[in-house]
Amino acid sequence: MDVGSIRDSLEELVGASPVMLAVYDRIEKAAATDVTVLITGESGTGKELAARAIHRLSRRREGPFISVNAGAIPRELVASELFGHEPGAFTGAAYRRPGKFELADGGTLFLDEIAATDHNTQIALLRSLEDRWITRLGGQHPVHVDARFIAATNESLSRAIRAGRFRKDLFFRLDIFQIRMPPLRDRGGDLMLLADRFLREIASDLGRKIDGFTDEARTCLLGYSWPGNVRELKNCVYRAVVASEGRAIRREDLPRRLRTIVHATREIRLKLGRRLGDIERAYVLRTLEECRGNKMEAARLLGISRKALYDKLARWEKEDGDGDVYSLGKEETVPIRPSPREEE
Ligand SMILES: Nc1ncnc2c1ncn2[C@@H]1O[C@H](COP(=O)(O)OP(=O)(O)O)[C@@H](O)[C@H]1O
Ligand SMILES: [Mg+2]
């Protein structure tokens, strides 16, 4: 496989942080073999995207990629979903129906939220992973399927095992090649990379002309902990694009939880992988915000002269080329207030 096709297949995965480069490396290694893969990571970290990338990079890329989310179907139906059933296997099973395992023949079966499966499904999974023969519910004869298996979980399987909800033998069968998707808050500069990419794509989809985020909006994005990870970020950007009126996403276009967190704490989060200049800027702007725009006070807190602060602000304003972001030249005491909308 040439480098070009590796790049193409990973292209959907945005991110250049060291932790993500390590993930790409694991994806490429997994794709080179047929080994069972276990992808772990919080919800929204891109586990399914990673599974698709493995499939596309593997020799099975021409085959089907079949995805099942065990958490999204009633527990008692997961087994028939995976293994299919014969007529009369249970009430309502009028026809023979092939399971997702069979449909994935020649390709890859991706089972998300595997911890949500029940005991019997886990036993059936274990058996089929051992020899690749599956039996439809109510069926007599096993059928052979040639499917690569990738499982994902956002719940700790060791915890599920301790709680008696997950079989240890299945865990050992799965724990051959793990890929851990890092939470978004550990990906440093990827956050803005992703935000900018989503903004570009969504704005273009919705036919909106939006160039970027204001510094205040950026500070909110960077200060938030993103418990819902990339999925949450994507949703936020989507909603912000819909809410926005001008050429930039403003702080008040963002969901309240992002805004209040920045204001509730007197901290900014410093993530590795960010450029020093960006950190200085976020820190200075945050301080200025804390001082409600009073530059004298902000300069005192920062331990620099007022002139030095003005010079920084002027420089950034010039870099941005969109003037007046920092209320330069206005009354010293003009505060950067929360917008009226959020004081309601
Ligand atoms: N690294 C990434 N680059 C671009 N988009 C991503 C990335 N990680 C996740 N996404 C997007 O975020 C959303 C959630 O990803 P998904 O793979 O469903 O996460 P999970 O399965 O871990 O819950 C999807 O819309 C996906 O396209
Ligand atoms: Mg998922």
Side-chain angles (χ1 to χ4, degrees), residues 18-78:
V19 281
M20 282 308 283
L21 295 182
V23 166
Y24 301 157
D25 195 52
R26 297 289 285 170
I27 287 176
E28 283 165 12
K29 282 205 175 78
T33 72
D34 231 8
V35 77
T36 296
V37 177
L38 176 63
I39 306 179
T40 59
E42 294 173 16
S43 172
T45 47
K47 296 186 290 298
E48 174 147 8
L49 222 51
R52 287 182 188 277
I54 293 173
H55 173 74
R56 276 201 313 276
L57 288 169
S58 75
R59 65 169 180 83
R60 296 172 173 273
R61 72 182 74 91
E62 304 293 339
F65 178 90
I66 304 290
S67 174
V68 178
N69 186 342
I73 15 185
R75 211 167 266 259
E76 63 278 10
L77 294 185
V78 176

Side-chain angles (χ1 to χ4, degrees), residues 16-290:
S17 56
V19 281
M20 282 308 283
L21 295 182
V23 166
Y24 301 157
D25 195 52
R26 297 289 285 170
I27 287 176
E28 283 165 12
K29 282 205 175 78
T33 72
D34 231 8
V35 77
T36 296
V37 177
L38 176 63
I39 306 179
T40 59
E42 294 173 16
S43 172
T45 47
K47 296 186 290 298
E48 174 147 8
L49 222 51
R52 287 182 188 277
I54 293 173
H55 173 74
R56 276 201 313 276
L57 288 169
S58 75
R59 65 169 180 83
R60 296 172 173 273
R61 72 182 74 91
E62 304 293 339
F65 178 90
I66 304 290
S67 174
V68 178
N69 186 342
I73 15 185
R75 211 167 266 259
E76 63 278 10
L77 294 185
V78 176
S80 91
E81 185 76 10
L82 287 173
F83 303 107
H85 60 73
E86 296 290 344
F90 49 85
T91 324
Y95 306 100
R96 161 185 289 175
R97 187 165 166 264
K100 293 293 165 73
F101 246 110
E102 277 177 79
L103 295 178
D105 193 44
T108 304
L109 177 68
F110 174 62
L111 178 58
D112 203 351
E113 294 194 46
I114 191 169
T117 51
D118 65 13
H119 185 80
N120 288 338
T121 309
Q122 290 172 19
I123 293 177
L125 267 175
L126 180 63
R127 228 181 295 135
S128 50
L129 291 181
E130 244 135 42
D131 55 13
R132 305 285 150 173
W133 287 84
I134 60 123
T135 309
R136 301 187 192 108
L137 302 195
Q140 304 294 328
H141 308 290
V143 281
H144 186 258
V145 286
D146 169 36
R148 199 264 176 86
F149 189 71
I150 303 181
T153 179
N154 54 37
E155 195 193 329
S156 148
L157 290 184
S158 349
R159 193 178 312 144
I161 291 170
R162 281 199 301 277
R165 284 184 291 107
F166 203 80
R167 293 181 60 95
K168 217 181 202 155
D169 47 8
L170 178 57
F171 173 72
F172 288 134
R173 187 65 194 70
L174 294 172
D175 187 29
I176 300 166
F177 192 92
Q178 263 206 47
I179 299 181
R180 291 189 189 83
M181 298 302 290
L184 182 54
R185 61 186 164 280
D186 291 346
R187 297 189 204 176
D190 286 358
L191 178 83
M192 285 319 298
L193 220 56
L194 281 157
D196 286 330
R197 167 75 73 99
F198 291 148
L199 178 60
R200 207 166 352 108
E201 286 174 0
I202 293 167
S204 134
D205 279 356
L206 299 181
R208 296 284 314 275
K209 266 197 116 35
I210 301 176
D211 305 321
F213 299 89
T214 65
D215 278 294
E216 268 192 317
R218 225 165 251 271
T219 307
C220 291
L221 294 175
L222 293 169
Y224 184 61
S225 63
W226 300 105
N229 296 291
V230 185
R231 178 177 296 114
E232 185 182 14
L233 175 64
K234 202 171 182 176
N235 289 341
C236 280
V237 174
Y238 187 90
R239 291 178 40 178
V241 170
V242 173
S244 71
E245 286 156 11
R247 300 273 310 235
I249 300 293
R250 299 153 308 165
R251 180 170 177 276
E252 52 267 41
D253 299 325
L254 296 171
R256 193 175 299 253
R257 62 183 183 283
L258 270 71
R259 295 181 258 150
T260 44
I261 291 210
V262 169
H263 276 271
T265 99
R266 286 175 57 96
E267 297 169 356
I268 65 167
R269 290 174 61 95
L270 295 181
K271 282 170 233 145
L272 294 180
R274 193 113 40 86
R275 283 171 30 218
L276 203 49
D278 290 345
I279 294 175
E280 182 194 34
R281 182 160 157 160
Y283 187 75
V284 168
L285 291 180
R286 180 70 189 91
T287 305
L288 198 55
E289 217 179 355
E290 189 65 33

